[in-house]
Amino acid sequence: MKNLIFGGIEGGGTKFVCAVGSAEGESLAETRFPTTTPEETLGRAAAFFQEQIRTLGPLAGLGIACFGPLDPNPDSPSYGRILATPKAGWAGADVVGTMRSALSVPIAFDTDVNGAALGEWRWGAAQGLSTFLYFTIGTGVGGGAMVEGKLLHGLIHPEMGHIPLPHDYAQDPFPGSCPFHGDCFEGLASGPALEKRWGQRAETLPPDHPAWELEAHYIALAMQGFICSFSPQRIILGGGVPQQPSLLPLVRAKTLKYLNNYVGAEAINKHMDTYIVPPGLGSRAGVCGAFALAQQAASGAGV
């Protein structure tokens, strides 16, 4: 695959990033634009790749790492489509079918967080690991999992942002922002939840604001549960919210406190600073993961 080129789509609820890259994950051309209607957004994506094919040559495969919920099972009648989503107009959108009709290339389709996890495994903070978790905490909250060397799908795919968390209404009377579950992990800890609770966007909150102590509390509660459930070798926290410098140390400390020495692993008890970490690829995790998915498609997996 050394000289082949691959297409990648990081499809978010706010913006789409489309890129063409090499087998090593190097981006050769890239564009980004707002996520509007499926017709307009997927049309712009198709037009970008058609132009790159004319300029750079044919794509060996296309990887699509997309917001959801979605159907990643090639044997399912709704494969390649967005399922029930709060993103207006996107429920039922045929992402894979639209791109396949426009480009006629092998396609691999997965969640944005599974895609980012795959990118981190290939080129980032999860290299050499077989079992780890990747979370994005931003516009929404989602989690991707690699378990024993394979991305986890199961019935459809994990929805780690929608687990319930202990919620002390006396400490935090905010009812939650999730339209489906109210005060789930996403409803309490996403960027929109921070903005609705405190009346300003997360990036405008100063480091000593009480928001970050509460935010770390909810993230650490979730991490405690996922550590006990999956026994991951590492947890990667991506997305816009964890970019607040004071947050990650608070999350690490509170996760240790809530585990209460129950998990007897040195990686947690002595090396927490290398156990819960930011993405090694930074904001490139999603698009690099899409390239990795494209390589799977080209090799016959995930077509």
Side-chain angles (χ1 to χ4, degrees):
M1 290 190 181
K2 187 173 181 181
N3 297 317
L4 299 177
I5 60 172
F6 303 90
I9 297 176
E10 181 187 4
T14 301
K15 70 177 184 299
F16 264 51
V17 180
C18 300
V20 172
S22 69
E24 293 76 31
E26 177 190 4
S27 184
L28 305 175
E30 187 171 314
T31 189
R32 57 189 63 210
F33 43 82
T35 306
T36 56
T37 66
E39 294 77 16
E40 180 181 11
T41 306
L42 297 176
R44 291 184 69 174
F48 167 79
F49 289 113
Q50 288 165 344
E51 176 62 26
Q52 299 312 312
I53 289 169
R54 287 191 290 269
T55 303
L56 300 173
L59 301 178
L62 174 68
I64 305 174
C66 192
F67 75 93
L70 52 79
D71 188 344
N73 180 2
D75 297 324
S76 169
S78 57
Y79 167 66
R81 292 181 179 270
I82 305 294
L83 303 178
T85 176
K87 182 67 176 176
W90 279 81
D94 187 1
V95 178
V96 169
T98 301
M99 300 309 296
R100 182 174 285 148
S101 295
L103 302 176
S104 298
V105 298
I107 294 176
F109 182 62
D110 213 325
T111 63
D112 50 358
V113 280
N114 261 359
L118 187 62
E120 288 291 319
W121 179 69
R122 283 290 302 275
W123 298 294
Q127 292 179 80
L129 304 181
S130 63
T131 300
F132 69 94
L133 301 177
Y134 176 95
F135 289 91
T136 183
I137 304 173
T139 304
V141 176
M146 180 172 282
V147 178
E148 302 298 338
K150 294 184 178 181
L151 292 176
L152 180 63
H153 295 104
L155 184 65
I156 299 178
H157 55 76
E159 280 291 353
M160 299 185 195
H162 293 271
I163 64 164
L165 294 179
H167 184 185
D168 183 345
Y169 277 89
Q171 179 193 26
D172 176 26
F174 178 64
S177 63
C178 175
F180 290 91
H181 312 113
D183 60 349
C184 61
F185 185 12
E186 178 173 297
L188 291 172
S190 66
L194 280 165
E195 184 175 358
K196 289 179 181 178
R197 182 189 285 110
W198 301 105
Q200 59 188 101
R201 293 178 62 85
E203 59 266 30
T204 69
L205 295 167
D208 59 350
H209 195 282
W212 299 117
E213 191 79 24
L214 185 62
E215 180 74 4
H217 166 70
Y218 286 130
I219 296 174
L221 284 173
M223 296 306 101
Q224 175 200 15
F226 288 123
I227 288 167
C228 292
S229 300
F230 287 90
S231 192
Q233 295 164 299
R234 185 167 295 148
I235 295 174
I236 302 169
L237 293 184
V241 170
Q243 292 181 28
Q244 162 55 244
S246 66
L247 183 61
L248 204 53
L250 284 171
V251 169
R252 291 172 179 143
K254 289 180 181 294
T255 301
L256 269 177
K257 177 183 176 181
Y258 300 159
L259 285 168
N260 197 27
N261 296 313
Y262 184 70
V263 178
E266 189 171 293
I268 290 175
N269 296 319
K270 294 186 178 180
H271 304 290
M272 180 58 85
D273 59 334
T274 58
Y275 183 74
I276 297 178
V277 300
L281 298 172
S283 62
R284 302 289 299 167
V287 72
C288 287
F291 289 152
L293 287 171
Q295 292 175 23
Q296 289 186 352
S299 68
V303 176

